């Protein structure tokens, strides 16, 4: 039985990946930080099926200890300070977790067992002010936030360890991917939960920032399958994972409110406070390489994704 260690196991992607690997027959461990208030709601239903190991991306020795203790075949590094707006308020902490945290994981693998396969969660935010569209594995990076900059570091240090130490290290350049487990601070979940609250009479308005920002949105459960596929290849490489279709925040709002029989213009307020200092206007990914080499294609459409999220939020609120 293969053994997989997941950082960020309590997050959206980590919880879906843990489920996926358990179905594949893996022994799964999740690396969690010591905290006085523990939040395991996304993995409550599988907590008795996985092992939780305390370690911290800011502490090199704890990471080495976790890898020595669990002896994984695969490590999936999904943990990060992952909310873009927060990265302007906490740029140094974002760099510590999202950039240097990757180095600490790779360094632990180098010191303990270089045969461990490593997956790094890279991000479409690395493309930022896009230099070409759609974006593929060869598109130059131009990050527009401290988060994007930190992800670029994490991406290139993964490439560096692969080339310097012959470690099987891959980066998945994942475009936005959502689900009912998405944090409430992210715009998709903010919209679906906000629309559900208005429909149920629990709220009267929804405040949003830039309605014209365009993103390539997919379903998180589809995307964790791609992570696993990358580590099953003969040679390590980096892949763009996306849907190839772009929608604006305005489209997202229209579909969500329309599904509930509401006219969004009656409830949505554009709040300048919610605008980013530097906006990423148009992200859309070219996943043709992943389709060709991994056999991966997205299975859930944007419209179906919004419906899945809305149903979950309505159910949760009633």
């Amino acid at each position: 039985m293969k053994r997989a260690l997941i950082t960020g196991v309590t997050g959206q992607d980590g919880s879906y990946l843990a489920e996926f690997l358990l179905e594949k027959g893996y022994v799964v461990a999740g690396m969690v930080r010591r905290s006085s208030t523990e939040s395991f709601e996304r993995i409550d239903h599988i907590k008795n099926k996985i092992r939780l190991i305390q370690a911290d991306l800011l502490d090199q020795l704890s990471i080495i200890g976790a890898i020595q203790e669990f002896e994984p075949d695969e490590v999936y590094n999904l943990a990060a300070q992952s909310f873009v707006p927060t990265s302007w308020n906490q740029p140094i902490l974002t760099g510590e977790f999202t950039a240097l945290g990757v180095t600490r994981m790779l360094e632990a693998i180098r010191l303990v067992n270089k045969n461990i396969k490593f997956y790094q969660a890279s991000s479409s935010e690395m493309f930022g002010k896009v230099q070409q569209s759609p974006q593929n594995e060869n598109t130059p990076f131009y990050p527009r936030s401290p988060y994007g900059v930190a992800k670029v570091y994490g991406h290139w240090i993964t490439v560096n360890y692969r080339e310097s130490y012959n470690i099987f290290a891959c980066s998945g350049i994942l475009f936005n991917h959502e689900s009912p487990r998405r944090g409430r601070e992210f715009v998709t979940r903010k919209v679906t939960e906000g629309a559900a609250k208005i429909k149920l009479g629990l709220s009267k308005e929804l405040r949003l920032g830039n309605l014209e920002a365009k993103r390539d949105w997919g379903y998180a459960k589809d995307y964790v399958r791609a992570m696993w596929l990358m580590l099953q290849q003969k040679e390590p490489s980096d892949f763009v994972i996306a849907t190839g279709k772009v929608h604006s925040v305005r489209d997202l709002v229209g579909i969500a409110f329309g599904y509930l029989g509401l006219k969004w213009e009656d409830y949505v307020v554009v709040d300048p406070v919610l605008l980013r200092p530097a906006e990423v206007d148009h992200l859309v990914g070219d996943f043709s390489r992943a389709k060709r080499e991994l056999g991966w294609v997205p299975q859930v459409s944007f419209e179906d994704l919004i419906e899945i999220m809305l149903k979950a939020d309505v159910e949760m609120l009633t």
Side-chain angles (χ1 to χ4, degrees):
M1 294 173 73
K2 281 188 177 179
R3 302 168 70 81
L5 176 66
I6 303 169
T7 75
V9 73
T10 59
Q12 169 189 260
D13 292 8
S15 61
Y16 282 125
L17 179 62
E19 287 176 355
F20 178 85
L21 294 175
L22 286 170
E23 289 171 8
K24 290 284 182 187
Y26 277 65
V27 177
V28 177
M31 197 177 99
V32 293
R33 301 173 67 201
R34 170 75 180 89
S35 173
S36 56
T37 56
E38 296 179 334
S39 177
F40 293 147
E41 60 179 301
R42 294 185 181 95
I43 58 168
D44 270 342
H45 61 298
I46 54 170
K47 254 181 86 174
N48 63 340
K49 297 179 182 178
I50 66 175
R51 190 167 154 194
L52 296 178
I53 299 173
Q54 283 191 359
D56 196 311
L57 284 181
L58 301 187
D59 184 69
Q60 182 73 73
L61 289 177
S62 70
I63 298 169
I64 292 170
I67 290 175
Q68 285 175 331
E69 177 187 342
F70 184 64
E71 298 181 331
D73 300 292
E74 300 171 358
V75 169
Y76 295 85
N77 186 42
L78 310 185
Q81 189 302 98
S82 60
F83 188 46
V84 174
T86 297
S87 74
W88 276 287
N89 296 327
Q90 299 181 345
I92 295 170
L93 187 68
T94 298
E96 285 285 352
F97 276 116
T98 308
L100 292 177
V102 187
T103 312
R104 295 185 188 105
M105 292 300 302
L106 286 162
E107 189 65 0
I109 288 171
R110 184 183 73 83
L111 292 170
V112 176
N113 178 6
K114 289 199 291 184
N115 292 320
I116 294 170
K117 292 184 175 182
F118 177 78
Y119 172 84
Q120 165 60 14
S122 286
S123 167
S124 59
E125 286 286 331
M126 300 189 305
F127 295 121
K129 190 176 181 180
V130 297
Q131 304 300 290
Q132 67 181 58
S133 204
Q135 296 91 53
N136 61 34
E137 292 82 3
N138 298 314
T139 303
F141 300 138
Y142 194 143
R144 295 267 282 173
S145 66
Y147 170 78
V149 172
K151 279 292 185 183
V152 170
Y153 176 98
H155 181 86
W156 281 115
I157 201 68
T158 301
V159 173
N160 185 257
Y161 270 68
R162 178 168 74 217
E163 295 177 350
S164 301
Y165 302 115
N166 201 30
I167 292 172
F168 194 110
C170 299
S171 281
I173 306 172
L174 271 57
F175 279 65
N176 293 62
H177 47 288
E178 319 298 318
S179 76
R181 296 181 193 172
R182 191 54 142 156
R184 289 176 175 83
E185 69 272 26
F186 290 88
V187 70
T188 45
R189 183 71 192 287
K190 190 175 179 181
V191 168
T192 59
E193 187 181 53
K197 282 182 175 178
I198 289 168
K199 179 68 175 177
L200 296 169
L202 302 173
S203 182
K204 292 183 178 179
E205 68 175 25
L206 174 62
R207 304 185 80 82
L208 297 172
N210 182 11
L211 298 183
E212 308 312 319
K214 294 180 172 65
R215 294 291 184 274
D216 182 329
W217 278 297
Y219 185 32
K221 283 184 84 168
D222 282 345
Y223 285 41
V224 299
R225 188 174 77 254
M227 300 175 188
W228 175 76
L229 284 168
M230 287 180 215
L231 297 196
Q232 312 315 307
Q233 305 307 302
K234 288 184 178 179
E235 298 294 333
S237 193
D238 308 319
F239 293 89
V240 163
I241 304 298
T243 70
K245 296 178 180 177
V246 68
H247 297 88
S248 67
V249 175
R250 188 183 295 274
D251 296 334
L252 162 66
V253 170
I255 292 169
F257 277 79
Y259 179 81
L260 296 176
L262 300 171
K263 190 176 178 183
W264 71 267
E265 292 91 343
D266 295 338
Y267 305 100
V268 173
V269 177
V270 175
D271 187 344
V273 172
L274 298 174
L275 298 174
R276 295 181 179 184
E279 183 58 86
V280 174
D281 296 310
H282 191 281
L283 292 174
V284 57
D286 173 5
F287 68 94
S288 55
R289 186 173 181 218
K291 181 179 181 181
R292 184 174 66 251
E293 296 185 21
L294 303 178
W296 181 88
V297 291
Q299 295 177 343
V300 175
S301 70
F302 179 68
E303 292 77 12
D304 288 345
L305 167 63
I306 301 308
E307 183 178 339
I308 289 168
M309 293 177 68
L310 277 168
K311 282 181 176 177
D313 278 325
V314 169
E315 185 178 329
M316 182 191 66
L317 292 165
T318 51

